[in-house]
Amino acid sequence: MSKQISVGAVKIGGGAPISIQSMTNTDTSDVKATSEQINALAAAGCDIVRVAVPDRKAAEATAEIKKLVSVPIVADIHFNYKLALICVENGVDKIRINPGNIGGADNVRAVVDACKSRGIPIRIGVNAGSLEKDILAKWGKICAEALAESAEGHARLLEDAGFEDICVSMKGSDVPSTVQAYEIFRSKRDYPLHLGVTHVGGGTGAAVKAAVGIGSLLLKGIGDTIRVSMMGEPTQEVVIAREILYAVGLRRPELEIISCPTCGRCKVDLEEYVERTKTALNNVKSDSPLRVAVMGCEVNGPGEGKDCDFGLACGPKNGILFAGGQTVKKVPVESGVDELCALIEGAIK
Ligand code: SF4
């Protein structure tokens, strides 16, 4: 098991639930726009939000931003250790900085001392695009070994300064080498790992790369916090991150609707049936998560939805309602959704 760190009230590693992170794309010195985006991310389910701190104005803005938000904030800093010191003073909850890039041991010591005095962890964030020249020369190209070696080098600098309140990421845009880099690093150090695949653009391709990269590591028990990096509106990252956690079984949604892909046997507009079911059950409160199946035929539907709590299999004329793997009754298919919802509401009252 990895070590545990605390980012504000959120624990990372050491068996804590996998947290979801994202990053604002506003100008951090615009306090209003940035705090509004942070609050929107938090409302969408983001546990920790990172802000870019490229200059002094942005670093100073973190003081005001902290007053306007409730989720922990991470200050993302490259090269300038003085910006890190300002952000620590302003009460940010974590610093993302690579100690090998901040101008030597004295500067590392200054950041470490500031973070120690406030109990603030540091994330080492290695990216394929910013690997050290000597490491690239050694390996001849961007590869898993190079990413892991870079991360280890940065970790050693913090360790030499007596600091182990560390989280580490090694993000490439190539999924296999990113996954392998995390595996290599995990075999050497037990710091909590922040998972992500970077520079993947936007849209479906980016979501798939993130899901495969992050998901395959989580399935191996590697990773403690995740960020889906995507171009566009940041809250979409949170939605996809949550779906990844659902898919690998590390979180369960309150309401999960299972439906089949449909085929020539389906004689109803199943998408419409699913949407109506989602809308109708949206406000239904259950003590435990609900899994509901809405299937496209009565031939395979009941069997495919057997492991769901409740279900409807839609035949051409009649639908079959089922619960806990057993048939409950046959109903006219047009009233199937209403009957299904009534069955569920009656059962969970
Ligand atoms: S459940 Fe029925 S309609 Fe849906 S894909 Fe399977 S066979 Fe086709």
Side-chain angles (χ1 to χ4, degrees):
M1 193 182 287
S2 61
K3 287 182 179 165
Q4 188 168 79
I5 63 167
S6 297
V7 182
V10 178
K11 306 273 183 217
I12 298 180
I18 307 290
S19 48
I20 294 175
Q21 304 203 27
S22 184
M23 186 169 184
T24 53
N25 59 11
T26 51
D27 175 350
T28 305
S29 60
D30 183 341
V31 170
K32 183 171 181 293
T34 303
S35 57
E36 280 175 5
Q37 196 172 66
I38 292 168
N39 288 330
L41 283 163
C46 190
D47 301 302
I48 298 169
V49 180
R50 181 161 44 119
V51 299
V53 179
D55 52 33
R56 197 179 171 96
K57 221 171 145 199
E60 282 165 356
T62 57
E64 281 307 303
I65 292 169
K66 274 295 293 174
K67 291 180 195 157
L68 298 170
V69 304
S70 52
V71 281
I73 298 300
V74 183
D76 187 286
I77 295 149
H78 290 269
F79 312 122
N80 189 338
Y81 82 102
K82 288 187 179 159
L83 298 180
L85 299 182
I86 296 170
C87 292
V88 171
E89 184 66 31
N90 284 346
V92 301
D93 303 282
K94 184 168 73 169
I95 298 288
R96 182 266 169 126
I97 199 164
N98 288 343
N101 304 338
I102 60 173
D106 289 349
N107 297 354
V108 173
R109 172 68 65 188
V111 173
V112 159
D113 288 348
C115 287
K116 262 189 184 170
S117 72
R118 296 266 186 153
I120 293 173
I122 294 174
R123 171 159 71 91
I124 294 164
V126 169
N127 274 358
S130 53
L131 279 174
E132 295 86 342
K133 286 198 183 91
D134 57 331
I135 292 181
L136 266 181
K138 175 179 168 187
W139 294 99
K141 60 177 180 176
I142 295 168
C143 60
E145 291 82 357
L147 287 166
E149 186 171 318
S150 173
E152 256 201 292
H154 289 297
R156 212 170 292 120
L157 289 173
L158 291 181
E159 288 159 357
D160 289 348
F163 191 83
E164 297 195 352
D165 198 4
I166 300 172
C167 184
V168 178
S169 65
M170 289 148 285
K171 301 182 185 178
S173 57
D174 166 75
V175 172
S177 59
T178 301
V179 167
Q180 205 193 338
Y182 279 100
E183 289 172 334
I184 294 170
F185 189 86
R186 169 52 73 238
S187 69
K188 300 187 172 181
R189 294 286 202 288
D190 58 1
Y191 296 123
L193 296 177
H194 165 122
L195 304 184
V197 184
T198 194
H199 301 132
V200 292
T204 309
V208 170
K209 274 190 166 182
V212 173
I214 294 170
S216 57
L217 283 162
L218 290 175
L219 285 171
K220 290 177 187 170
I222 296 173
D224 304 284
T225 183
I226 66 173
R227 185 213 170 178
V228 170
S229 306
M230 281 179 75
M231 193 192 290
E233 220 284 298
T235 51
Q236 67 176 335
E237 296 184 354
V238 179
V239 174
I240 295 165
R242 194 165 43 224
E243 290 298 329
I244 293 171
L245 295 180
Y246 292 158
V248 297
L250 288 170
R251 278 195 196 180
R252 261 198 89 178
E254 290 292 300
L255 172 65
E256 188 178 5
I257 307 260
I258 307 293
S259 60
C260 73
T262 77
C263 68
R265 288 193 187 87
C266 181
K267 303 298 178 201
V268 299
D269 180 352
L270 196 67
E271 277 187 72
E272 192 255 338
Y273 275 55
V274 168
E275 280 313 309
R276 273 202 289 136
T277 307
K278 267 188 199 161
T279 308
L281 294 179
N282 218 9
N283 296 321
V284 169
K285 290 276 164 258
S286 165
D287 291 341
S288 53
L290 273 183
R291 266 186 119 214
V292 177
V294 180
M295 310 301 274
C297 76
E298 77 286 34
V299 181
N300 289 340
E304 301 286 348
K306 203 160 55 185
D307 61 346
C308 290
D309 303 307
F310 301 93
L312 167 68
C314 303
K317 288 195 180 122
N318 292 317
I320 295 171
L321 288 183
F322 51 94
Q326 302 295 319
T327 298
V328 175
K329 63 176 173 176
K330 212 184 243 187
V331 295
V333 72
E334 315 79 59
S335 57
V337 170
D338 294 339
E339 294 268 4
L340 172 66
C341 296
L343 173 70
I344 295 170
E345 284 179 39
I348 63 175
K349 253 183 200 161

